[in-house]
Amino acid sequence: MGHMDGLRRKGALPPHLRKRLFVRLGIPANVQVEQLTGGRSAKSYVLADRKNPLVLKIAQTRTGDPLFPIRPRVEAAVMQNLAPRGLCAQPVDAFAYGTAQCLIYHYLPGTSRAVPGPALARLLRKVHETQFPHRHTLPQSADLPAPLILRARAFLADHPNAQNLMDAIHSASQRSATAGQSLLHGDPVPGNVVMNGSHPMLIDWQCACLGDPSRDIAIAISPAMQVIHDRPPLSHDQIQVFLNAYGRPDLSERVKMLSPARHAAMIGHCLWRLDQGDTAYANALTAEVAALENSVLDHALKQE
């Protein structure tokens, strides 16, 4: 969910939450509230009639699916550390609200539709190379969640090229045995990066964790994640430009090596979202299956 100019509608907050905001931060009860559209895992509002607008994000404390677990408390802690480094917005407050968690941070004017791929690649490398204190407080990434891989394999069982797809997924999964200790954003999709002037910044850090940097890269270039944010899948050349901008050939090779398994995990995620009634993921699923097919075909051609 990006802070995209124009994608707002009038919002309303319960009186007791408005009172809570006044008591904690002195925010007037009659503050103008605009809801940001586009969020799938949380509701976000701009507290607009202020010299320095704030964002109020309300997220349910739940796990989400294995690929994108939702951890609001982790988000607040990570943003507190990264904001002074210019990697995200400055948080203001965080507190429990019933079964949900509220996070308040400074609004980032800008758009997530104009962020070039190379800018995101360079930003992700900065995140991955950040020395985060208290690393023991961050969860470890589930790089290739077994439930999603199994779901994808079941879905692909009737595919005309099923055996080759299964073999490629299995082979890539066997090569993924690395814990990885880099700080990951966890959800670096187009809607979560904002071009603030000439400076890209990331929002929505609730999936932050420690893990293999190639995981973040795979999500950033995932066809499904492009489609679900109303963009066409990246071309082969665009993906290569992204990888070149990141600037680590060893990691680029790892992204390619693990791509069948990562596509399978994303296919499993799309199926999970469809089970939740999110029909927008139907086209995303089709795009990710096509990418898996192309990945397996490319690998077969290289072996000839």
Side-chain angles (χ1 to χ4, degrees):
M1 185 281 301
H3 298 181
M4 293 178 283
D5 291 338
L7 295 185
R8 302 189 198 176
R9 60 172 179 261
K10 187 175 181 180
L13 299 178
H16 50 287
L17 180 54
R18 287 178 176 268
K19 182 177 180 180
R20 190 89 172 269
L21 294 174
F22 176 75
V23 171
R24 294 184 70 93
L25 299 171
I27 296 174
N30 63 348
V31 64
Q32 180 183 334
V33 177
E34 297 175 347
Q35 185 172 356
L36 289 164
T37 62
R40 293 180 179 274
S41 61
K43 292 183 178 180
S44 294
Y45 304 86
V46 177
L47 309 180
D49 57 346
R50 298 169 52 89
K51 183 177 180 180
N52 297 306
L54 299 175
V55 172
L56 167 64
K57 179 177 178 180
I58 306 174
Q60 291 295 325
T61 305
R62 56 187 178 86
T63 58
D65 84 310
L67 196 60
F68 298 105
I70 299 169
R71 306 181 183 101
R73 292 183 179 87
V74 169
E75 179 174 25
V78 170
M79 289 180 67
Q80 192 67 46
N81 182 268
L82 296 186
R85 307 169 192 246
L87 297 174
C88 66
Q90 178 65 51
V92 175
D93 195 11
F95 56 90
Y97 174 62
T99 60
Q101 287 286 321
C102 289
L103 173 65
I104 300 174
Y105 58 90
H106 287 285
Y107 174 77
L108 293 177
T111 175
S112 63
R113 294 194 179 275
V115 180
L120 174 56
R122 289 188 287 268
L123 177 59
L124 283 178
R125 181 160 182 178
K126 288 181 182 178
V127 171
H128 298 158
E129 293 179 347
T130 296
Q131 296 302 309
F132 190 82
H134 312 299
R135 299 172 70 82
H136 65 280
T137 64
L138 292 178
Q140 188 71 43
S141 161
D143 193 20
L144 294 170
L148 297 184
I149 299 287
L150 290 172
R151 182 70 192 279
R153 290 173 66 92
F155 174 77
L156 295 166
D158 295 328
H159 190 282
N161 196 25
Q163 190 58 56
N164 287 336
L165 297 184
M166 299 300 180
D167 289 346
I169 292 169
H170 176 74
S171 177
S173 298
Q174 294 298 106
R175 297 174 180 176
S176 70
T178 176
Q181 290 298 307
S182 295
L183 173 65
L184 305 185
H185 177 274
D187 190 16
V189 297
N192 286 342
V193 56
V194 176
M195 187 59 79
N196 185 224
S198 61
H199 181 51
M201 302 179 81
L202 286 159
I203 60 172
D204 284 3
W205 289 82
Q206 70 267 13
C207 298
C209 57
L210 297 178
D212 180 349
S214 68
R215 180 186 188 275
D216 259 0
I217 296 173
I219 291 171
I221 63 178
S222 159
M225 293 297 96
Q226 297 295 319
V227 169
I228 207 67
H229 288 89
D230 300 319
R231 296 183 175 194
L234 299 179
S235 68
H236 180 275
D237 288 345
Q238 287 174 317
I239 290 174
Q240 193 58 53
V241 167
F242 187 101
L243 296 175
N244 290 344
Y246 189 93
R248 277 190 54 187
D250 61 319
L251 209 56
S252 296
E253 287 305 310
R254 183 165 176 78
V255 169
K256 295 173 184 177
M257 178 182 70
L258 297 179
S259 63
R262 291 255 168 75
H263 288 312
M266 188 60 73
I267 288 168
H269 170 70
C270 291
L271 292 168
W272 182 84
R273 292 304 300 244
L274 286 167
D275 286 345
Q276 307 303 306
D278 195 339
T279 57
Y281 273 81
N283 290 336
L285 173 63
T286 299
E288 202 70 33
V289 171
L292 171 61
E293 294 168 343
N294 290 335
S295 173
V296 173
L297 178 60
D298 288 346
H299 180 74
L301 292 174
K302 289 177 182 178
Q303 299 303 308
E304 293 181 355

